[in-house]
Amino acid sequence: KSLHPSHIDRGQACMDKAPIAGNLSDPRAVIQTSFVPVVLVLCTPAAEKLCQTACNNTRFIDVLRSVLYQSPARRASVRLGEGTHEISDLKVRFMDITQLERPLDDAAALGNKVDESLPGDTFADIKIRTKADVPLFQRAYKDSTPWFDRYKVEFIRGVGSSEHEYFSHPVAVVIAAAADEANHIASLVKLYDPARPPVIFQEGRGDVTAPKLYALLQEGDVVPPAVEKKLVEMKNTFGNTSCTVVKLGDQKIDDRADGPKTVPRFVTDLVYRSVIPYVEKSISDLNEFVSASKKGSLQKMRNFFRLGAGGSGKTKEEEAPGNYIYGGSSVETATRRLADLLFMIQDYEAALANYRACAKDFNNEKTWHYFAGTQEMIGLCLFLLGRDVENFLDVANSTYQKSGRDRFAMRSTFFYGDILKLRGNFKTASDVYSRAAERDTDPFCSAILQEQAAFCYLFMSPPMFRKFSFRLIMAGLRFADINKRKHALRCYMWAYSVYEGKSWAAVDDHLHLSLVRHSYSLSRMNDALHYIQKLLAKNIQSFQKQNSIVREFLYICKAAGAVGGEAFPPIPIPVINNNAVRVYLNDYTPQGSDIIWNEMEDAFRLEDAVHNKGPARQGFDLWKAKEDTQLKTKISVVEEVIYVEVEIKNPLSVPLQFTHMHLTATLEPPTTPAAAPSSPTPFSPPPAHDPASSSPADPSSPAPVHSPRHDQCDWPASSEVSMAHAEPQATEGETAAVVQALLDELVARRGVQGFRVFPVDVLLGPQEVKRLRLALQPLKEGVLTIQGIAMCMCGSVWGRREFTLKQRRLNKTPQQRQTPTYEPNLTLTIKIAPPMPRLEVAFQDMPRYIYNGEVRRAGLTLHNCSTKTGLRNVRVRLSHSTFVTIGEDEKGSSHDAPLTSSGTSSMSSSMSSMSSSSSGTSSSLIPAIPVNVSVGPNETLTIPLWVIGGAVGSFTFCFLFYYESELPNREVRYRLTRCQAEVKVLPSIRVSAFTQQSATDLHAYVLGLDVENKDPNMAFGVKQVSCVSTVWRIDPLCQMQQGGLTVAGKQSFNSFFRISRAPTTEDSGASTTDTTKKAVSRHVGNKVHTDVLLDTAKQGVDSAEHPQLTFLRKEHALQRRIQAQQAHAHAHPHKDDRTTRPGAPTPDHTSAELDDHINKLDLIVFWEGSKQLGGPPTIFGQHNVPLVSFMPMHNKDPLLASPWGTMPRGNHLLAGRMRNDLVPVPLRFDIDSPAQVAHRFQSGSICVVPIKLHVANCSSYTSLTFDFTTLMPHELADPEHGRAMYAWAGTSAYLDISLAPQAQTSLDLSVCFFQPGVFNLNRFKFTVRAPDQPNQDVFSPFQHLISVEDGEVRE
């Protein structure tokens, strides 16, 4: 027990605390410092206590080690036979009895010591992702794994002694006692009794003849006489040359300070006077013994029979455990010991020869651990001699394993791996480390071997990244098993740099989860949050695993806040769709077509620029999502709520609750440039466990302002998308006011003031998507930058999510094209202007369903939300101007009348065009409608609104209101408010008109109306037909009756009217009435209004009143633009239509000419509808047929239907009109003849009948020149009927006849009949001539029949 002092920890005793000379990663230095002569150090407990007192708590053996490695290189010469061998640097190794008796078998103690000796931070900053990163990593970390080299050296030193090698056999023994011991001689003899030496000497693991040095330890430089006396006693007992006094000082050995000079002198004397002479003598004796043994007959016989060392012939497996196969006197033992001594004095050539000699004997006799040892040393000798190692170390490794010497097998693995790495053979080195790691039972050793195998894969050419990361993960698992979290985290971080961004789900989950837990265990909270956020972002785990991850995330976030982390950290959920982020005003409704809204807004902007004679000033424009508007800073006003539409998604399979979700933003003073907002200052979250942090809301604070129509927004029709409004919602025990007061307190604490937020609570189910409208109210002027959203997750963790909007890359300059440069996206940057009134518009009695042509009266409510300023100059633009009219009934007619609520509609032939193009033309070209009202502060006005079902289909009526403040505003001159309504128009009746010339009157025409009922469940009755024209009126051609013309479902009827000129009068209010036919005409302005009442039982409707006439005018203007577009397209067939805006006037035609053309009229058909035939009317409406042209078409030749005539210059009636009047040839004619003629053909004479041909020029402003020619019977004969049976007599042609506008003439003709019958007198033609135009032939398009009978005419 005296050999094992109780105050010396066994783990520390087994570890060599001496510094290691040379580079630990250099195998040559490791080998030369590991295989050196061993000196056994024995100390009494009193001596150890004295040394620790004098040398800063350092053991005596550590003092000797420190002095040895501090001293310069010791050159020595060793006599070998007749020559000498020079040693450049002779080292010895001091060991205590514990290391020699029981080598290190506690691998955990070795791993802990290596781990404790490392620096605090072993994490790599360089990420390994590509081949180019490997050289950077090697330059930054030349010694990437210092813990492996330290472990390797400590393991080799602590591998202990074995019977097959002699490196651990002491070559000298140092025996020390304290000078103050009473019986120091007895203490020294007790430590080493030659009669009973220590166990290692008894077992043959040491030479009892090795020199012994006895030291008497004395503190201080002065040796007292008592100590001198004790030294004399020691010399008398143990010999004069082997005893000395060692003086110990108080210097710190850890600081590498030398002790008293006696200690280095003692070590030098030990090396040169004891170790080297003993080694020389041992080598000489062994050489003589080996040489003599090999020449003897007994050795020859043993070699022949290959018997064992004792003559038993037993192999290793047949020997009992613990017994030695070779005795101390065998030639094999002597040869191996000789080779080891030569190796320790660095004579590698001689050592190699002896190793080769004994290796053959060990192999032949199958003593495998002896054979493995020689193979290992042969490989090391070859390496140190600069030769090829071949496979000696590999054979040694496998043979050690075969013989059960695992520690020595691991030692050979370390040597073999270092040599392979030094020579660049990383592939073989990785295999060696991998095999050793898989069989080793020590987790720490297995982990560092896996790590070494990983780096071997990395340093290959080319690098094998997958195997590198796989081995690192295996190493991380082993490190985690033994609680080496620092090493485990490092391995996982390096492996993660390879797998990051790859779509390997299982690997990602394992890496992220391991990184989270190890980072948290090492108090690296930022890293833990970073990795767990990535883990949540993957969201591909099972429900149970995701639930566990969420719990860990909440726990880590709480811990991060408790240790001083960021109070409002970013969190990975919910996921924000940044492409769907929209910013809206309070009065903004995101329904309808953006194109329509933009056109109307641009029209108001253009009007404002023209009115102010300069570029359009920034108004309160409604915000768009176009890329070209991203650079344009938006404008809002103080105290008006701004809405941000956000689409969020829960990517997990577990439901998540988010409370107090609100917008985060910054508000800079007005002087701060909007393009460079400062970094966000988020709200600080209140402690989740402290409900007292909330304070009651200020009752005087302004209430949140919200849009009256935000709940009618057209969100996507998906079962997975829901809507959450922006109003504060009350939670359990907490009202919205309390929440707002809490946030106000947080804002004040952070120093972020100037706006209010409105929190909402959201519950997101698994994989659920919700679209929210979050609100923010600026309270003062400045530049507002919206950063993102903040929330409290699951009621315990506060976090934020920031918006990341897409930026447009600049590509204008060469620098921008070479280096990616992006312009800032200012979609979320808003300039807050001074207060301004805000107009809210709402509908009253707006129908959701209406029949085609039905007219309904509704209302518009205008409310000024401002309590400070009024608004004025209200104007409105409509997307469907023909469907709606705004204003009072000018005549104030009674609404009890059947059709006083009716308006006008479009003709059926143009309905499809209107339906497809929303209104048929660009709404921006239609002038804005002045409302002519002013609304005071907090005032509400209601104005009438008339709606007509203009076309069948579903429509969105868009109203864009323009208004200005009564007070001047330096930032905003005008504002726009959107309002819209959804209306579905159902089918009712279809009305079409057709015309032809009258056969009885040159100045009259026939009008036909075709009415068809398209609804099988409704009955419609036409009550009145009205005509609006410049000079024409209509009269019914049939007798009217009570009840009008009624058409049942899926039926139709025709009705005919006569078109004639209205009488002129100087009194514009005069009227003419046909009491029989109920037709009333009157002049209103420059128009003639004719109302034909078809139902004699009811009172008629005045077509000149509002809104009937207003609807007609809107429809008239629409058809005018459509015809202008068609005429322009016909005149320019090769011109790209995309270059002309819809509804724009063409170069050749203007809308004014089409509007007031003399030969066109507009029709209004008033009707009633009921659910059953003959039942009471339930709906009223009207159909408009504008621009009905009734000039005759003389044949089907398109050339004759082309425009004709020249407009005279200077005519005040036609000023500003086009050069072509877009009408057919203005020629009208009529034949005046008897309808029946009797003639006696038996008398042999022919029948000659005189007739008159009346010809008129219908044009009001164009002269006409023509030639009249009769046709011969064979000309243009009908092939079905053959030749004509009559001929013209007398004058057959009239040439160069001119007719002034509205003039007429008569031509005398005679026709001859040769037999009785019925004849058609239409065999003639007109040749019309016009300047600069080809002649046009006009034939009779109708029949004129005459009956010729044989006999006398009957009375």
Side-chain angles (χ1 to χ4, degrees):
K1 293 183 180 179
S2 63
L3 301 179
H4 307 284
S6 60
H7 67 278
I8 300 176
D9 180 71
R10 181 179 180 276
Q12 293 181 350
C14 297
M15 307 303 296
D16 195 346
K17 291 185 178 181
I20 302 175
N23 185 6
L24 298 185
S25 61
D26 182 11
R28 182 180 296 274
V30 174
I31 294 171
Q32 291 180 345
T33 56
S34 299
F35 297 105
V36 294
V38 173
V39 176
L40 176 63
V41 179
L42 302 176
C43 291
T44 63
E48 287 288 358
K49 183 177 181 181
L50 175 64
C51 184
Q52 292 180 5
T53 302
C55 298
N56 193 23
N57 198 28
T58 304
R59 297 189 306 160
F60 180 62
I61 187 173
D62 293 329
V63 173
L64 298 177
R65 290 169 178 169
S66 178
V67 172
L68 176 66
Y69 282 94
Q70 289 176 30
S71 61
R74 289 183 172 87
R75 302 184 64 85
S77 297
V78 181
R79 291 190 301 270
L80 298 177
E82 298 180 355
T84 60
H85 177 73
E86 298 293 334
I87 303 175
S88 60
D89 185 13
L90 178 62
K91 298 290 186 182
V92 296
R93 186 178 177 192
F94 295 101
M95 300 181 67
D96 57 23
I97 191 64
T98 307
Q99 290 177 284
L100 294 176
E101 285 185 350
R102 290 182 294 177
L104 180 65
D105 55 2
D106 188 359
L110 178 59
N112 291 333
K113 180 193 175 185
V114 172
D115 197 31
E116 292 172 359
S117 64
L118 296 177
D121 192 2
T122 58
F123 303 102
D125 297 330
I126 297 179
K127 303 298 183 182
I128 306 173
R129 293 187 177 92
T130 62
K131 183 178 179 181
D133 296 332
V134 178
L136 298 177
F137 177 82
Q138 290 177 320
R139 288 195 296 268
Y141 301 95
K142 295 181 180 180
D143 190 7
S144 57
T145 54
W147 46 90
F148 171 76
D149 297 327
R150 181 72 178 176
Y151 183 90
K152 172 186 64 180
V153 174
E154 296 291 352
F155 184 91
I156 293 173
R157 287 184 175 185
V159 73
S161 61
S162 178
E163 68 277 2
H164 74 282
E165 65 181 19
Y166 300 92
F167 294 109
S168 61
H169 290 201
V171 297
V173 180
V174 176
I175 307 169
D180 57 356
E181 291 189 44
N183 192 358
H184 62 288
I185 299 296
S187 298
L188 293 173
V189 173
K190 189 175 182 180
L191 288 177
Y192 188 91
D193 187 1
R196 294 189 60 187
V199 179
I200 60 172
F201 293 97
Q202 297 178 20
E203 294 178 351
R205 290 185 287 163
D207 188 3
V208 294
T209 64
K212 285 83 177 176
L213 279 76
Y214 295 89
L216 195 62
L217 304 184
Q218 169 65 35
E219 183 178 5
D221 295 336
V222 180
V223 180
V227 177
E228 292 287 352
K229 183 179 179 180
K230 290 183 179 181
L231 179 61
V232 173
E233 294 177 358
M234 289 174 57
K235 290 182 178 180
N236 294 333
T237 305
F238 303 112
N240 189 26
T241 61
S242 59
C243 299
T244 185
V245 175
V246 178
K247 300 176 183 179
L248 303 176
D250 57 355
Q251 287 80 3
K252 295 182 179 180
I253 302 300
D254 292 343
D255 294 339
R256 301 292 182 262
D258 293 338
K261 295 183 179 179
T262 57
V263 178
R265 186 169 57 251
F266 174 76
V267 174
T268 302
D269 293 343
L270 172 66
V271 173
Y272 287 102
R273 295 184 182 183
S274 299
V275 174
I276 292 179
Y278 174 77
V279 172
E280 290 176 345
K281 183 179 181 302
S282 298
I283 291 175
S284 177
D285 295 341
L286 289 172
N287 269 326
E288 293 178 2
F289 176 76
V290 171
S291 298
S293 299
K294 289 184 178 180
K295 296 178 181 178
S297 59
L298 179 60
Q299 182 64 27
K300 294 180 181 179
M301 292 178 61
R302 290 179 64 231
N303 291 340
F304 179 78
F305 291 105
R306 297 180 181 176
L307 300 177
S312 63
K314 295 180 180 179
T315 62
K316 174 181 181 294
E317 289 78 11
E318 294 170 340
E319 290 290 335
N323 294 336
Y324 301 110
I325 297 177
Y326 296 102
S329 61
S330 64
V331 64
E332 292 84 359
T333 302
T335 305
R336 173 59 196 254
R337 184 182 178 191
L338 174 61
D340 289 348
L341 289 173
L342 292 171
F343 191 91
M344 286 188 288
I345 64 172
Q346 302 176 9
D347 189 359
Y348 303 120
E349 286 286 0
L352 177 62
N354 286 278
Y355 284 132
R356 289 184 185 275
C358 61
K360 297 179 182 179
D361 297 333
F362 296 148
N363 186 31
N364 293 335
E365 296 173 5
K366 299 183 180 179
T367 53
W368 299 121
H369 63 291
Y370 284 88
F371 177 71
T374 57
Q375 292 295 305
E376 180 184 15
M377 299 313 298
I378 289 173
L380 296 182
C381 290
L382 292 174
F383 168 70
L384 294 173
L385 292 172
R387 302 176 189 175
D388 189 8
V389 178
E390 298 177 354
N391 61 342
F392 290 103
L393 291 174
D394 193 18
V395 172
N397 186 285
S398 59
T399 310
Y400 273 136
Q401 297 177 47
K402 182 179 179 180
S403 61
R405 300 299 196 272
D406 293 333
R407 287 183 295 147
F408 293 94
M410 185 56 62
R411 184 182 71 180
S412 65
T413 297
F414 287 136
F415 286 136
Y416 192 29
D418 283 355
I419 294 172
L420 291 173
K421 290 191 295 182
L422 183 65
R423 297 185 175 179
N425 191 354
F426 294 103
K427 177 65 174 67
T428 307
S430 63
D431 296 338
V432 170
Y433 288 131
S434 300
R435 291 196 301 266
E438 292 170 359
R439 71 171 181 268
D440 193 82
T441 57
D442 176 23
F444 187 85
C445 183
S446 176
I448 62 175
L449 289 174
Q450 292 281 13
E451 190 177 27
Q452 287 302 303
F455 281 103
C456 289
Y457 287 120
L458 180 66
F459 297 147
M460 289 181 187
S461 182
M464 304 178 71
F465 290 104
R466 291 186 179 180
K467 290 188 177 181
F468 162 71
S469 54
F470 174 74
R471 290 295 172 181
L472 280 179
I473 293 175
M474 297 295 294
L477 285 173
R478 298 293 178 90
F479 281 128
D481 291 341
I482 56 176
N483 203 29
K484 302 294 182 183
R485 297 189 178 274
K486 185 185 298 184
H487 293 283
L489 179 60
R490 183 194 65 256
C491 293
Y492 281 121
M493 289 177 66
W494 274 333
Y496 178 74
S497 65
V498 177
Y499 284 110
E500 186 177 9
K502 305 294 190 301
S503 57
W504 290 21
V507 176
D508 281 345
D509 285 350
H510 175 72
L511 284 176
H512 284 111
L513 193 58
S514 301
L515 288 169
V516 168
R517 292 174 177 174
H518 294 315
S519 298
Y520 177 77
S521 300
L522 296 175
S523 299
R524 299 172 64 93
M525 296 303 175
N526 291 336
D527 291 340
L529 286 175
H530 172 73
Y531 292 118
I532 200 169
Q533 287 177 3
K534 288 184 173 291
L535 182 63
L536 288 174
K538 292 293 182 181
N539 55 75
I540 55 176
Q541 303 85 7
S542 62
F543 169 80
Q544 294 79 5
K545 195 169 185 179
Q546 286 185 0
N547 191 29
S548 175
I549 292 172
V550 170
R551 292 179 180 273
E552 288 193 35
F553 171 73
L554 298 176
Y555 184 79
I556 291 174
C557 289
K558 287 183 179 179
V563 299
E566 186 179 1
F568 221 52
I571 57 177
I573 48 180
V575 177
I576 296 178
N577 183 5
N578 290 288
N579 295 329
V581 175
R582 298 290 184 271
V583 181
Y584 298 136
L585 299 182
N586 197 341
D587 50 5
Y588 181 83
T589 304
Q591 294 174 320
S593 172
D594 289 338
I595 298 177
I596 297 177
W597 290 118
N598 295 340
E599 286 183 355
M600 294 191 293
E601 292 165 11
D602 293 341
F604 275 127
R605 189 179 297 109
L606 181 60
E607 288 182 2
D608 181 74
V610 173
H611 180 267
N612 292 279
K613 300 180 180 180
R617 187 180 177 186
Q618 171 67 47
F620 205 92
D621 302 330
L622 295 179
W623 304 342
K624 311 170 187 178
K626 294 183 179 179
E627 292 184 356
D628 56 356
T629 62
Q630 291 180 358
L631 287 177
K632 188 176 181 180
T633 304
K634 314 302 185 301
I635 295 183
S636 182
V637 296
V638 174
E639 295 185 356
E640 287 202 5
V641 177
I642 298 172
Y643 291 95
V644 178
E645 180 183 301
V646 184
E647 183 180 290
I648 61 175
K649 177 182 179 181
N650 177 14
L652 304 181
S653 300
V654 296
L656 296 176
Q657 174 72 32
F658 298 96
T659 58
H660 306 95
M661 182 177 289
H662 60 274
L663 293 172
T664 61
T666 59
L667 184 62
E668 299 293 339
T671 56
T672 302
S678 63
S679 59
T681 306
F683 297 109
S684 299
H689 60 278
D690 186 11
S693 60
S694 302
S695 60
D698 185 5
S700 63
S701 60
V705 183
H706 26 228
S707 171
R709 298 193 52 78
H710 73 277
D711 57 340
Q712 300 181 15
C713 297
D714 185 17
W715 306 112
S718 173
S719 59
E720 299 182 358
V721 180
S722 60
M723 177 72 185
H725 304 308
E727 293 87 348
Q729 300 177 358
T731 59
E732 297 180 2
E734 184 178 38
T735 63
V738 174
V739 174
Q740 184 62 56
L742 172 63
L743 293 176
D744 290 342
E745 179 183 353
L746 298 175
V747 168
R749 184 165 40 146
R750 280 283 183 174
V752 181
Q753 300 177 356
F755 60 87
R756 297 183 62 192
V757 294
F758 302 90
V760 297
D761 296 342
V762 181
L763 175 62
L764 291 177
Q767 302 292 327
E768 184 179 3
V769 176
K770 280 190 177 181
R771 187 173 295 176
L772 311 178
R773 294 186 72 196
L774 303 177
L776 183 145
Q777 183 184 25
L779 302 178
K780 61 182 181 180
E781 299 179 47
V783 178
L784 180 71
T785 303
I786 300 175
Q787 304 290 346
I789 58 176
M791 69 216 78
C792 183
M793 179 178 174
C794 299
S796 58
V797 173
W798 283 81
R800 74 174 189 271
R801 294 285 290 165
E802 294 186 355
F803 299 138
T804 306
L805 302 186
K806 183 178 179 181
Q807 293 178 309
R808 182 169 56 185
R809 179 176 176 178
L810 300 177
N811 196 26
K812 297 180 180 179
T813 64
Q815 293 79 6
Q816 293 174 350
R817 288 189 288 269
Q818 293 175 1
T819 303
T821 305
Y822 299 89
E823 61 185 5
N825 191 327
L826 302 181
T827 302
L828 298 176
T829 302
I830 307 162
K831 186 175 182 180
I832 307 302
M836 190 175 180
R838 181 172 61 86
L839 177 65
E840 286 187 354
V841 182
F843 293 105
Q844 289 185 353
D845 301 328
M846 174 63 74
R848 296 183 58 187
Y849 298 94
I850 192 172
Y851 281 91
N852 184 17
E854 182 184 359
V855 178
R856 294 275 189 93
R857 176 167 180 163
L860 277 175
T861 300
L862 308 181
H863 175 66
N864 183 3
C865 298
S866 175
T867 59
K868 300 178 181 179
T869 60
L871 56 90
R872 63 182 181 86
N873 194 16
V874 180
R875 292 183 290 164
V876 63
R877 266 192 163 84
L878 309 175
S879 61
H880 297 72
S881 60
T882 58
F883 286 69
V884 178
T885 182
I886 302 175
E888 293 287 347
D889 188 344
E890 296 178 358
K891 299 297 182 179
S893 57
S894 173
H895 298 300
D896 297 333
L899 294 176
T900 52
S901 298
S902 62
T904 57
S905 74
S906 60
M907 104 178 146
S908 300
S909 61
S910 65
M911 293 302 182
S912 59
S913 174
M914 293 173 52
S915 177
S916 61
S917 62
S918 299
S919 64
T921 64
S922 174
S923 58
S924 63
L925 296 177
I926 303 175
I929 303 174
V931 183
N932 297 325
V933 295
S934 297
V935 186
N938 201 24
E939 183 179 353
T940 302
L941 295 179
T942 302
I943 58 177
L945 174 70
W946 304 87
V947 183
I948 186 173
V952 178
S954 298
F955 301 92
T956 300
F957 296 161
C958 300
F959 294 72
L960 183 62
F961 287 85
Y962 170 103
Y963 58 96
E964 300 174 359
S965 175
E966 293 181 347
L967 300 178
N969 192 309
R970 67 179 184 274
E971 297 290 345
V972 181
R973 185 163 55 225
Y974 65 90
R975 292 190 66 174
L976 303 176
T977 297
R978 292 183 180 183
C979 187
Q980 61 188 38
E982 303 288 340
V983 177
K984 184 174 183 179
V985 181
L986 305 176
S988 58
I989 62 174
R990 180 188 60 84
V991 178
S992 60
F994 55 92
T995 61
Q996 69 178 27
Q997 68 183 30
S998 173
T1000 59
D1001 189 350
L1002 288 177
H1003 300 285
Y1005 305 89
V1006 176
L1007 169 68
L1009 286 180
D1010 182 15
V1011 180
E1012 179 183 2
N1013 186 353
K1014 308 293 291 187
D1015 190 341
N1017 301 319
M1018 290 288 292
F1020 296 95
V1022 178
K1023 305 302 179 181
Q1024 178 177 316
V1025 177
S1026 298
C1027 169
V1028 180
S1029 177
T1030 305
V1031 296
W1032 304 95
R1033 60 166 287 164
I1034 61 172
D1035 295 287
L1037 295 178
C1038 57
Q1039 183 66 32
M1040 299 298 99
Q1041 58 184 357
Q1042 185 175 359
L1045 301 177
T1046 302
V1047 54
K1050 296 299 181 180
Q1051 294 183 3
S1052 61
F1053 71 86
N1054 294 331
S1055 181
F1056 297 93
F1057 301 84
R1058 182 174 182 269
I1059 303 176
S1060 60
R1061 285 183 174 270
T1064 60
T1065 177
E1066 296 296 330
D1067 185 6
S1068 60
S1071 62
T1072 60
T1073 305
D1074 188 339
T1075 56
T1076 304
K1077 300 183 178 179
K1078 300 295 183 182
V1080 179
S1081 297
R1082 62 172 178 162
H1083 291 265
V1084 179
N1086 62 346
K1087 296 290 185 179
V1088 177
H1089 289 255
T1090 304
D1091 299 328
V1092 178
L1093 187 62
L1094 303 182
D1095 187 357
T1096 58
K1098 290 188 177 182
Q1099 183 181 358
V1101 179
D1102 190 352
S1103 60
E1105 290 198 7
H1106 177 83
Q1108 296 89 288
L1109 184 60
T1110 305
F1111 279 122
L1112 177 62
R1113 288 174 177 173
K1114 289 175 177 286
E1115 190 71 25
H1116 183 100
L1118 171 64
Q1119 292 301 320
R1120 225 172 50 203
R1121 281 186 287 270
I1122 294 176
Q1123 292 184 5
Q1125 293 176 17
Q1126 295 173 352
H1128 179 71
H1130 180 73
H1132 305 277
H1134 302 293
K1135 188 174 182 180
D1136 190 358
D1137 292 339
R1138 293 173 294 180
T1139 61
T1140 304
R1141 296 184 59 185
T1146 63
D1148 299 330
H1149 311 288
T1150 62
S1151 58
E1153 298 162 353
L1154 298 176
D1155 185 19
D1156 296 329
H1157 195 279
I1158 192 173
N1159 290 326
K1160 291 186 178 180
L1161 55 83
D1162 299 331
L1163 297 178
I1164 308 176
V1165 178
F1166 296 97
W1167 51 266
E1168 295 177 350
S1170 59
K1171 290 294 184 180
Q1172 56 183 353
L1173 191 63
T1178 57
I1179 59 175
F1180 305 90
Q1182 67 182 65
H1183 274 68
N1184 300 326
V1185 186
L1187 300 177
V1188 177
S1189 178
F1190 47 86
M1191 286 297 293
M1193 302 294 292
H1194 296 287
N1195 60 14
K1196 297 181 180 180
D1197 188 351
L1199 294 176
L1200 298 182
S1202 61
W1204 186 91
T1206 304
M1207 178 187 69
R1209 297 181 180 271
N1211 191 329
H1212 66 281
L1213 296 177
L1214 304 175
R1217 299 189 180 185
M1218 60 183 178
R1219 297 200 40 94
N1220 296 330
D1221 55 3
L1222 289 177
V1223 296
V1225 176
L1227 181 69
R1228 292 293 310 278
F1229 54 89
D1230 184 22
I1231 299 177
D1232 185 8
S1233 67
Q1236 186 176 7
V1237 176
H1239 178 72
R1240 297 181 60 88
F1241 289 95
Q1242 295 179 357
S1243 61
S1245 63
I1246 61 175
C1247 179
V1248 178
V1249 179
I1251 64 175
K1252 281 185 177 293
L1253 181 64
H1254 305 286
V1255 182
N1257 181 4
C1258 299
S1259 177
S1260 301
Y1261 51 85
T1262 303
S1263 299
L1264 186 66
T1265 301
F1266 65 92
D1267 296 338
F1268 174 80
T1269 307
T1270 60
L1271 300 179
M1272 299 298 291
H1274 62 278
E1275 291 183 89
L1276 298 178
D1278 189 350
E1280 295 182 359
H1281 300 88
R1283 296 168 58 91
M1285 301 307 296
Y1286 66 90
W1288 298 96
T1291 304
S1292 61
Y1294 293 88
L1295 305 179
D1296 294 330
I1297 300 177
S1298 297
L1299 290 178
Q1302 297 294 323
Q1304 68 178 30
T1305 184
S1306 298
L1307 306 180
D1308 294 326
L1309 300 175
S1310 299
V1311 60
C1312 301
F1313 301 99
F1314 305 101
Q1315 61 185 17
V1318 178
F1319 303 91
N1320 183 10
L1321 302 183
N1322 62 353
R1323 301 191 57 78
F1324 52 86
K1325 72 174 182 177
F1326 296 89
T1327 301
V1328 182
R1329 297 193 299 274
D1332 301 329
Q1333 291 190 11
N1335 297 339
Q1336 302 184 45
D1337 292 337
V1338 179
F1339 298 86
S1340 176
F1342 54 86
Q1343 294 180 342
H1344 185 81
L1345 302 180
I1346 185 172
S1347 177
V1348 180
E1349 298 180 357
D1350 188 7
E1352 297 292 339
V1353 179
R1354 298 179 181 179
E1355 296 296 334

